[in-house]
Amino acid sequence: EIVLTQSPGTLSLSPGERATLSCRASQSVSSSYLAWYQQKPGQAPRLLIYGASRRATGIPDRFSGSGSGTDFTLTISRLEPEDFAVYYCQQFGSSPYTFGQGTKLEIK
Amino acid sequence: QVQLQESGPGLVKPSGTLSLTCAVSGASISSSSWWSWVRQPPGKGLEWIGEIYHGGSTSYNPSLKSRVTISVDKSKNQFSLRLSSVTAADTAVYYCARRLFSSSWSIIDYWGQGTLVTVSS
């Protein structure tokens, strides 16, 4: 099983700042099969990024993804108030399709 | 617009069986998609449970495999989850979802709203 470790656990930033979230895999994951989701309280996750760097439909261009192998990054260039949420990475490279434990992005 | 809606008992007794159904609208369950279940214990992260293809092929999380069955009902355009021998650790919000795939990517693009299942006597 591929273990995904996200860091930091909590990130405290202000609107307008840049956020950098990390997802590290216990073994190499094809970048084609790494996705990022945003989840707000009481809601289902929403797909942000797939294939490590492709934005899903309707996702603003302030969200970007990068990385390969075992190290992946989600960057939010300028935080908007609605971006404060929990973010998860997920790999589809091998079953079980594991999630990271999440990074909570909170308002400073 | 694809919509998924979970239904089933919100309370299950310990050692009992959790049964949920996901009704799919706006898409055929016989399309080239995998139909998935994901759960989230209160205040915790997401756990992939397993998935099914319309032909009946399944894939389960090894941590749950001995207790999980996912099935599909093409006539009703829905799929189901059964989890046996439940304990309090199975208390969670259960989501159904659609996974699309190609030779170069895979995504979960649509999710149900989620349903809370509590295991308690």
Side-chain angles (χ1 to χ4, degrees):
Chain A
E1 170 176 323
I2 296 177
V3 176
L4 299 179
T5 302
Q6 292 186 239
S7 61
T10 301
L11 185 57
S12 299
L13 294 170
S14 300
E17 291 192 293
R18 181 185 187 89
T20 302
L21 288 67
S22 173
C23 176
R24 179 162 290 178
S26 60
Q27 54 187 281
S28 184
V29 175
S30 167
S31 58
S32 298
Y33 299 117
L34 194 287
W36 289 92
Y37 302 89
Q38 176 193 68
Q39 187 179 36
K40 296 181 178 180
Q43 296 184 16
R46 176 175 72 142
L47 177 67
L48 297 176
I49 300 288
Y50 67 100
S53 60
R54 306 183 199 192
R55 273 189 301 278
T57 302
I59 301 303
D61 61 7
R62 65 180 181 272
F63 290 90
S64 63
S66 63
S68 63
T70 60
D71 289 299
F72 299 90
T73 300
L74 174 69
T75 301
I76 310 171
S77 59
R78 296 173 309 280
L79 286 166
E80 298 287 342
E82 61 268 26
D83 299 337
F84 292 91
V86 180
Y87 293 83
Y88 294 95
C89 55
Q90 183 187 21
Q91 64 82 23
F92 296 99
S94 69
S95 182
Y97 301 138
T98 46
F99 292 89
Q101 83 279 18
T103 289
K104 181 180 182 180
L105 180 55
E106 64 176 25
I107 299 176
K108 187 173 182 180
Chain B
Q1 177 77 343
V2 178
Q3 292 186 314
L4 297 93
Q5 179 67 58
E6 306 90 350
S7 62
L11 181 64
V12 181
K13 291 186 179 347
S15 76
T17 297
L18 178 160
S19 296
L20 296 174
T21 296
C22 181
V24 179
S25 59
S28 170
I29 206 152
S30 297
S31 62
S32 298
S33 307
W34 284 83
W35 302 96
S36 308
W37 289 96
V38 175
R39 70 180 183 178
Q40 185 171 37
K44 297 188 178 180
L46 300 163
E47 180 181 30
W48 181 81
I49 299 171
E51 61 183 10
I52 189 166
Y53 199 69
H54 62 79
S57 297
T58 54
S59 179
Y60 298 134
N61 191 322
S63 68
L64 299 168
K65 188 172 184 177
S66 63
R67 300 192 291 129
V68 172
T69 302
I70 297 175
S71 59
V72 66
D73 185 337
K74 288 185 265 189
S75 68
K76 295 183 178 179
N77 214 45
Q78 64 186 33
F79 62 107
S80 299
L81 169 71
R82 285 173 56 88
L83 181 66
S84 63
S85 304
V86 297
T87 69
D90 295 309
T91 294
V93 174
Y94 285 77
Y95 294 99
C96 59
R98 181 180 81 167
R99 183 172 75 87
L100 295 180
F101 63 95
S102 77
S103 59
S104 59
W105 51 262
S106 185
I107 59 173
I108 292 180
D109 63 342
Y110 284 99
W111 299 70
Q113 65 185 25
T115 187
L116 174 63
V117 179
T118 301
V119 178
S120 175
S121 56

